[in-house]
Amino acid sequence: MRLHVEERGHGPVRIALIHGFLADGAAWTDVVAASDPERYTFLLVDLRGHGSSPRADRTRGERYDIASLAADLVETLPPGLDAIVGHSLGGRLLIDIVGPLRPAHAIYLDPGFGLKLPGRGLGARLFWSIPGLPRLLAWLYDRTDPATGPANVALAEAAHAAWDRSMVAEVLQDVAANPATPAAPTVPSTLVLSDDAKLVLPSSHVPRYEQLGWTVTRFPGIRHDMAALDGARTFEVIQASL
């Protein structure tokens, strides 16, 4: 599936930005605003079922699993970018696309490497079959953080109004069932961890990533939605990782 992409800036350094669950490319507005448009070109992607990208066609068997979401990105983005940045769900997908796309750098902002939700086995099957669970999960995740400020709250609410609610349990179950395990990076890679990182990445895995050659950057004093909470500092972290 070809995804909706918007370009910002016109500089020689080309960076793709992949948003997290329920967001869209507009989530990076403050990050882009903090950059120099003469130096950077940002590719803002809307994942399948988010923003202005197509929805999965259930009549054709299309899904919202990791494999499909990652394949869309490989089909849409050009290879050899200076960097690809993925936040949360976008970070989980990034680990699957760096091989074919071969960016010069991969930057993972609180990547969804290990959600604290049932993944496999009988307990997981029972959990994901609870009646009304998708509706409950949609309600839990469909929130905006007032600390991001009125402009970003408005952007988040617009994104939440547009996403395909049929995806919620499918995406979360697949991410929970397929956690990322520490491995040597395919390209130079940086983990950027907020104060909430333990919610999406087991703390015990972090030293192993460092041993395997990943750069680990702590982003203290910031919660998971770092790009909206402090776009300028988030851009500085991205810039320092190049």
Side-chain angles (χ1 to χ4, degrees):
M1 180 184 293
R2 296 285 296 184
L3 302 174
H4 177 78
V5 180
E6 293 191 16
E7 288 196 12
R8 295 288 185 270
H10 44 271
V13 180
R14 294 173 59 79
I15 301 175
L17 302 175
I18 307 173
H19 63 79
F21 193 41
L22 312 189
D24 59 19
W28 302 99
T29 295
D30 290 352
V31 172
V32 173
S35 70
D36 178 359
E38 299 293 332
R39 176 165 173 75
Y40 295 95
T41 297
F42 290 102
L43 308 179
L44 279 57
V45 187
D46 290 348
L47 294 173
R48 170 184 298 215
H50 296 77
S52 298
S53 283
R55 276 46 185 154
D57 186 343
R58 301 297 193 174
T59 65
R60 297 171 54 186
E62 293 179 348
R63 301 187 59 198
Y64 288 111
D65 56 3
I66 293 171
S68 300
L69 293 166
D72 295 343
L73 291 165
V74 172
E75 180 179 350
T76 301
L77 293 174
L81 291 169
D82 293 284
I84 304 179
V85 182
H87 173 249
S88 199
L89 173 61
R92 175 61 186 86
L93 300 175
L94 178 54
I95 204 168
D96 289 348
I97 67 174
V98 288
L101 291 179
R102 288 286 171 174
H105 299 85
I107 303 169
Y108 299 77
L109 308 182
D110 268 5
F113 283 0
L115 295 184
K116 293 186 175 181
L117 289 170
R120 297 182 182 273
L122 177 60
R125 290 196 296 274
L126 292 174
F127 175 80
W128 293 106
S129 65
I130 294 173
L133 181 63
R135 185 185 297 273
L136 174 61
L137 290 171
W139 178 78
L140 289 172
Y141 278 85
D142 196 8
R143 303 294 185 92
T144 57
D145 185 347
T148 61
N152 283 313
V153 167
L155 290 174
E157 289 178 346
H160 292 179
W163 68 279
D164 183 351
R165 278 166 169 70
S166 73
M167 77 171 71
V168 60
E170 184 177 0
V171 171
L172 294 176
Q173 183 177 7
D174 200 39
V175 173
N178 296 282
T181 54
T186 304
V187 302
S189 299
T190 302
L191 280 175
V192 180
L193 305 179
S194 79
D195 291 344
D196 291 336
K198 63 184 179 181
L199 301 176
V200 292
L201 171 65
S203 299
S204 60
H205 287 189
V206 175
R208 183 59 180 151
Y209 280 105
E210 290 182 293
Q211 293 167 2
L212 288 165
W214 295 60
T215 299
V216 176
T217 299
R218 301 287 180 177
F219 198 170
I222 202 79
R223 297 192 302 279
H224 183 63
D225 292 329
M226 56 184 77
L229 288 164
D230 196 332
R233 284 179 66 201
T234 302
F235 172 69
E236 289 175 2
V237 169
I238 293 170
Q239 188 178 40
S241 301
L242 299 178

